[in-house]
């Protein structure tokens, strides 16, 4: 059973399933493929779980993009993921408020 | 395939040449064959024909075999039950297939697999039996050796994935070595003994009476472990039939498996030692505070992680901290140790919490790391104070009548604050209250709001008296957890 997959469609990154210690490196690989001037959106509407390893990967990619004129924001997280992001103090940073 | 009891006499092609051809083929095939008369009652069948392959397998001349009973092939290790089954199958008109130990002319035993079929005349009456045989000693030995090796490989796998305890793991693998040796030498008495770094382990029992014994050495003295598989045969015959080369190969495989186990134990001890050194030693709270802590490694077999706690006590303040470096294993643990040490030194020399957070954020950014962190600074002795959270879940205040989760302003995690520290939230601890700080492994479950986990922890903590009891309750509810490591620190204001 696949519990994670990520697809990139231009500036839209869609993540399905769980972003945890095991799957975070896959997300990192995918995000590394984004052109660094892209204003990218991370669609979390089908992400059911995110651990700190996942947040760490997203923030690293965001840093790489913003340093070169790009951007990375999250969109449409489900409540479980949104709450994890909020408690981590990252809602604003990820463009969720 | 037609069954022999249904077989009818047939007309064979080949004409006059056929009888000569059949005999030549029988004489020259490498498959041992034997024809006996059909009397099943005593004195039993007599051998009327054996081919050269049979003579070669048994080490007997044709002249000494023809006219004799097949019982000359049998000996002490021959399976009597198998012979009884043979007799009853044949008496009922059926064919027989079986396996037992036979003996060569020089009395060396070997394992045969043999099939006996009826030879019937034109009226269907059995006049003879034809037996085709095969020496399967080597094949059986190879199969037993493979099965024995599989036993210890499986035992190793089991010990490495379950919660590991060195002594129990060694005994578990030794027991598999004993059972494996029993597969290879089924009738022998097996005992396995090993000395690992000065500790001696022994499984199996000593034989009551010894007809012959051998010891197969395994281990690596340069890695400080050595052992023996002691094989004690129940009689001389069995001693002679022992698969010595199989046992020697098995001992060598045991060395490989045990070496892996010993090395794993060694690395694990090193890791545990590092972990305990990276965490603070006994904490020294001021007189009116009581403190209790816990660190539990993750279930996944990785012993060191990135969680830590600490308590820094000065003349007029106490700062309690907890943190969690994202990731697991050695990298996370090493960074955790540095962050904790920096925090300890900075707070000891009187740095403000804001300055400490800025510094830790810079360190994490430099290391491309992500760490959540929470610090509470209490003024002494009033125990009024402030909380700073960098992406860390909120603490829980356990009072005599209720538990509370303060609502905090939260900065991003260390490494991602970009120099901006959110204003702290006021928090004070009244006499009798206990505050519990924890890492996310205590509350985080997939597919549920983290708030549900925090609420569960609150329920578990409700009514607990003092920090030790609070920690105990928190660990108990974390119970069937996750791969994550967990850290907890609880502080009580004694008044």
């Amino acid at each position: 059973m696949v519990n994670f997959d990520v697809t990139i469609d231009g500036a839209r990154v869609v993540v399905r399933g769980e972003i945890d210690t095991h799957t975070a490196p896959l997300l990192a690989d995918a995000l590394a493929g984004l052109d660094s001037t892209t204003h990218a959106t991370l669609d979390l509407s089908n992400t059911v779980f995110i651990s700190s390893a996942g947040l760490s990967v997203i923030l690293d990619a965001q840093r790489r993009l913003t340093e070169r004129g790009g951007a990375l924001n999250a969109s449409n997280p489900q409540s479980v993921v949104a709450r994890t992001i909020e408690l981590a103090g990252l809602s604003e940073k990820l463009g969720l408020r | 395939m037609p069954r022999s009891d249904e077989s009818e006499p047939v007309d064979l092609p080949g004409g006059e040449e056929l009888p000569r051809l059949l005999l030549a083929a029988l004489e020259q095939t490498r498959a041992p064959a034997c024809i006996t008369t059909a009397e099943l009652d005593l004195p039993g069948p007599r051998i009327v024909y054996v081919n050269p392959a049979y003579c070669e397998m048994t080490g007997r001349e044709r002249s000494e075999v023809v006219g004799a009973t097949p019982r000359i092939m049998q000996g002490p290790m021959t399976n009597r039950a198998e012979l009884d089954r043979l007799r009853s199958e044949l008496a009922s008109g059926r064919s027989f297939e079986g396996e037992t130990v036979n003996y060569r002319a020089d009395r060396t035993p070997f394992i045969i697999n043999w099939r006996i079929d009826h030879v019937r005349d034109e009226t269907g009456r059995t006049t003879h039996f034809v037996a085709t045989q095969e020496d399967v000693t080597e094949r059986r030995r190879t199969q037993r050796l493979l099965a024995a090796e599989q036993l210890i490989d499986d035992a190793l796998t089991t010990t490495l994935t379950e919660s590991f305890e060195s002594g129990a793991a060694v005994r578990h693998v030794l027991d598999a070595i004993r059972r494996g040796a029993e597969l290879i030498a089924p009738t022998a008495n097996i005992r396995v003994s090993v000395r690992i770094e000065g500790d001696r382990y022994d499984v199996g029992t000593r034989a009551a009476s010894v007809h012959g014994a051998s010891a197969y050495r395994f281990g690596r003295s340069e890695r400080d472990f050595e052992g023996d598989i002691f094989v004690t045969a129940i009689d001389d015959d069995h001693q002679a039939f022992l698969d010595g080369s199989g046992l020697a190969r098995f001992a060598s495989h045991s060395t490989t498996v045990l070496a892996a186990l010993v090395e794993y134990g060694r690395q694990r001890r090193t890791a545990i030692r590092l972990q305990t050194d990276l965490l603070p030693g006994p904490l020294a709270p001021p007189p009116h505070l009581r403190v209790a802590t816990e660190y539990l490694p993750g279930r996944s077999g990785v012993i060191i992680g990135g969680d830590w706690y600490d308590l820094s006590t000065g003349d007029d303040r106490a700062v309690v901290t907890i943190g969690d470096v994202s990731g697991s294993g050695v990298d996370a643990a090493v960074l955790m140790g540095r962050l904790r040490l920096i925090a300890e030194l900075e707070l000891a020399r009187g740095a403000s919490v804001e300055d400490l957070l800025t510094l830790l954020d810079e360190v994490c950014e430099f290391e491309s790391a992500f760490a959540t962190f929470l610090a509470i600074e209490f003024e002494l002795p009033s125990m009024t104070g402030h909380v700073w959270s960098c992406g860390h879940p909120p603490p829980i205040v356990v009072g005599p009548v209720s538990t509370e989760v303060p609502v905090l302003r939260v900065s991003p995690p260390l490494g991602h604050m970009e120099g901006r520290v959110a204003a702290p939230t006021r928090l004070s601890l009244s006499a009798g209250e206990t505050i519990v700080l924890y890492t996310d492994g205590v509350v985080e479950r997939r597919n549920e709001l983290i708030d549900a986990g925090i609420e569960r922890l609150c329920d578990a903590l409700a009514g607990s008296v003092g920090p030790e009891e609070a920690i105990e309750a928190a660990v108990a509810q974390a119970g069937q957890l996750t791969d994550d490591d967990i850290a907890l620190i609880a502080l009580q204001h004694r008044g």
Side-chain angles (χ1 to χ4, degrees):
Chain A
M1 188 190 76
V2 176
N3 69 336
F4 171 87
D5 76 65
V6 53
T7 51
I8 296 186
D9 176 15
R12 220 169 88 89
V13 181
V14 181
V15 186
R16 292 181 199 81
E18 303 182 351
I19 314 174
D20 58 17
T21 316
H22 307 289
T23 59
L26 295 175
L27 179 59
D29 290 349
L31 293 175
L34 287 174
D35 183 271
S36 52
T37 57
T38 309
H39 286 247
T41 302
L42 191 62
D43 182 343
L44 297 178
S45 54
N46 284 304
T47 304
V48 296
F49 174 80
I50 188 162
S51 74
S52 59
L55 292 174
S56 176
V57 159
I58 292 167
L59 292 182
D60 287 344
Q62 186 188 50
R63 172 171 293 149
R64 185 178 66 85
L65 266 58
T66 49
E67 277 171 1
R68 292 174 177 78
L72 178 65
N73 283 308
S75 77
N76 292 316
Q78 296 179 12
S79 55
V80 169
V81 172
R83 183 63 176 145
T84 303
I85 291 172
E86 186 184 4
L87 271 180
L90 292 172
S91 301
E92 200 174 335
K93 211 174 165 63
L94 292 176
L96 292 175
R97 90 156 70 103
Chain B
M1 222 167 75
R3 284 177 45 176
S4 59
D5 51 344
E6 293 166 355
S7 65
E8 297 294 327
V10 287
D11 289 325
L12 291 166
E16 292 173 2
E17 273 298 290
L18 190 61
R20 196 202 61 80
L21 175 61
L22 289 178
L23 183 60
L26 201 51
E27 283 285 297
Q28 289 166 55
T29 177
R30 282 173 298 163
C34 168
I35 300 173
T36 67
T37 58
E39 294 95 30
L40 284 171
D41 296 322
L42 284 173
R46 295 278 146 188
I47 295 173
V48 296
Y49 171 81
V50 293
N51 67 356
Y54 181 95
C55 295
E56 192 183 331
M57 180 179 76
T58 59
R60 294 175 192 275
E61 296 295 327
R62 182 137 56 183
S63 56
E64 61 176 300
V65 173
V66 171
T69 161
R71 283 196 298 272
I72 59 169
M73 308 298 298
Q74 300 164 8
M77 281 191 286
T78 303
N79 185 343
R80 297 290 139 193
E82 196 73 341
L83 296 178
D84 292 343
R85 190 169 69 81
L86 176 155
R87 193 183 186 291
S88 87
E89 291 290 298
L90 294 183
S92 317
R94 286 187 292 269
S95 294
F96 167 82
E97 178 168 353
E99 204 164 298
T100 190
V101 174
N102 267 3
Y103 290 77
R104 295 192 179 82
D106 63 3
R107 302 308 292 161
T108 57
F110 63 102
I111 304 170
I112 61 157
N113 180 286
W114 83 125
R115 286 167 296 274
I116 301 178
D117 296 297
H118 294 250
V119 181
R120 295 189 165 92
D121 62 16
E122 50 286 345
T123 68
R125 188 179 63 91
T126 300
T127 60
H128 295 82
F129 296 119
V130 57
T132 49
Q133 314 184 321
E134 190 183 1
D135 178 350
V136 293
T137 311
E138 282 314 308
R139 196 188 310 163
R140 294 291 169 264
R141 287 183 166 178
T142 305
Q143 285 168 344
R144 287 171 182 170
L145 178 61
L146 283 177
E149 291 181 348
Q150 190 64 48
L151 271 182
I152 44 177
D153 292 354
D154 290 349
L156 179 69
T157 313
T158 316
T159 54
L160 294 189
T161 51
E162 285 174 359
S163 60
F164 183 86
E165 195 275 303
S166 187
V170 167
R171 273 186 293 276
H172 189 65
V173 170
L174 284 192
D175 198 57
I177 294 176
R178 179 185 59 78
R179 286 182 288 123
E182 279 171 0
L183 273 184
I184 298 170
T187 55
N189 184 301
I190 309 285
R191 190 166 62 85
V192 184
S193 170
V194 64
R195 184 188 48 73
I196 300 173
E197 291 167 336
D199 292 326
R200 179 159 280 291
Y201 302 85
D202 227 33
V203 301
T205 51
R206 283 167 199 284
S209 70
V210 175
H211 287 260
S214 37
Y216 296 84
R217 171 66 38 95
F218 63 92
R220 294 196 178 139
S221 52
E222 80 273 16
R223 300 313 307 263
D224 201 19
F225 85 92
E226 257 182 327
D228 289 287
I229 301 171
F230 297 102
V231 180
T232 316
I234 55 173
D235 58 38
D236 297 344
D237 220 41
H238 285 88
Q239 173 73 12
F241 194 45
L242 276 182
D243 179 10
S245 71
L247 286 164
R249 280 174 59 189
F250 182 63
S252 151
H253 189 79
S254 303
T255 299
T256 313
V257 171
L258 260 186
L261 184 63
V262 170
E263 189 55 36
Y264 178 77
R266 213 173 259 148
Q267 305 245 359
R268 196 181 152 93
R269 277 196 300 284
T270 310
I272 290 173
R273 180 70 205 284
L274 275 174
Q275 176 74 54
T276 30
D277 274 7
L278 290 172
L279 288 172
L283 301 174
H288 64 294
L289 291 183
R290 252 173 67 191
V291 65
T293 62
E294 183 67 276
Y295 175 84
L296 294 173
R299 281 277 159 82
S300 58
V302 179
I303 308 123
I304 46 186
D307 290 7
W308 86 96
Y309 56 77
D310 208 349
L311 173 68
S312 164
T313 306
D315 294 338
D316 54 3
R317 69 169 179 176
V319 183
V320 58
T321 52
I322 192 151
D324 178 355
V325 176
S326 176
S328 57
V330 177
D331 291 345
V334 166
L335 181 60
M336 174 277 277
R338 287 184 191 158
L339 296 178
R340 194 191 67 73
L341 186 64
I342 290 168
E344 184 181 356
L345 293 175
E346 288 296 310
L347 292 171
R349 69 179 188 85
S352 71
V353 174
E354 277 92 350
D355 287 348
L356 171 65
L357 295 181
T358 306
L359 178 59
L360 294 179
D361 181 45
E362 280 172 21
V363 174
C364 285
E365 188 177 339
F366 181 73
E367 296 280 343
S368 300
F370 175 111
T372 66
F373 184 68
L374 185 130
I376 311 176
E377 181 180 54
F378 289 112
E379 285 171 28
L380 295 179
S382 68
M383 291 302 281
T384 58
H386 293 90
V387 194
W388 288 260
S389 169
C390 305
H392 199 88
I396 296 172
V397 179
V398 186
V401 289
S402 65
T403 59
E404 268 179 58
V405 183
V407 177
L408 307 180
R409 279 181 290 274
V410 184
S411 304
L414 299 178
H416 297 276
M417 291 165 62
E418 291 162 18
R420 289 191 298 272
V421 179
T425 310
R426 293 190 63 84
L427 183 135
S428 39
L429 204 59
S430 310
E433 284 181 337
T434 299
I435 189 160
V436 180
L437 287 63
Y438 55 89
T439 54
D440 60 7
V442 179
V443 293
E444 195 173 75
R445 299 285 196 289
R446 288 173 195 235
N447 309 320
E448 73 172 25
L449 282 175
I450 192 164
D451 303 72
I454 295 173
E455 203 167 305
R456 223 175 7 246
L457 180 58
C458 281
D459 290 347
L461 290 172
S464 61
V465 181
E468 293 85 2
E469 208 177 302
I471 296 268
E472 215 171 285
V475 169
Q477 80 81 35
Q480 300 82 29
L481 264 190
T482 73
D483 302 339
D484 216 358
D485 57 342
I486 61 176
L488 288 145
I489 180 167
L491 207 63
Q492 185 190 29
H493 184 188
R494 303 169 72 184

